[in-house]
Amino acid sequence: MESIIQTEKECYISQSTTRLHKHHVYGGYGVRNLSEKYGLWIWLRADWHIQTPYAIHNNKPLRERIQREVQIIAMEHYGWSVDDFRQIFGRSFL
């Protein structure tokens, strides 16, 4: 599915259009397939994805911030409550 988070293929953080990786926002909790199903993924430049200490996979505060932002967007997009989100993804990030 297309991302419901971004319409342009650019880094969610830097707006760069080079060296992009697809990042499933909810992937580490056994729900990567749900991130794909509901379009809850973003583009990240390689350094923001995995290659540096500040990358989302290595930076818990950044990862949690993005998870919160995307949960809010998903709830608005699909008309979900926090409980609806929790039922689907197993937890809330708010």
Side-chain angles (χ1 to χ4, degrees):
M1 175 170 183
E2 296 295 317
S3 174
I4 68 161
I5 312 306
Q6 295 178 278
T7 56
E8 300 296 320
K9 189 174 180 179
E10 64 183 20
C11 177
Y12 184 77
I13 297 169
S14 71
Q15 288 72 52
S16 173
T17 57
T18 61
R19 300 181 4 227
L20 297 175
H21 292 190
K22 183 178 182 178
H23 173 71
H24 293 84
V25 176
Y26 309 109
Y29 303 96
V31 294
R32 184 175 189 207
N33 60 329
L34 294 174
S35 289
E36 185 69 31
K37 176 181 178 178
Y38 291 107
L40 305 181
W41 58 269
I42 57 176
W43 293 109
L44 290 174
R45 195 174 62 200
D47 60 318
W48 281 107
H49 190 223
I50 56 172
Q51 294 182 340
T52 62
Y54 59 83
I56 201 163
H57 282 278
N58 303 320
N59 181 337
K60 187 176 180 180
L62 173 63
R63 183 171 56 253
E64 290 174 343
R65 187 193 94 205
I66 300 296
Q67 288 170 328
R68 282 190 303 274
E69 288 175 12
V70 169
Q71 180 175 342
I72 291 166
I73 292 167
M75 290 181 355
E76 290 173 357
H77 180 83
Y78 289 109
W80 294 336
S81 67
V82 172
D83 285 336
D84 293 333
F85 186 92
R86 190 180 291 114
Q87 284 250 284
I88 296 166
F89 288 92
R91 66 177 281 198
S92 172
F93 297 88
L94 299 181

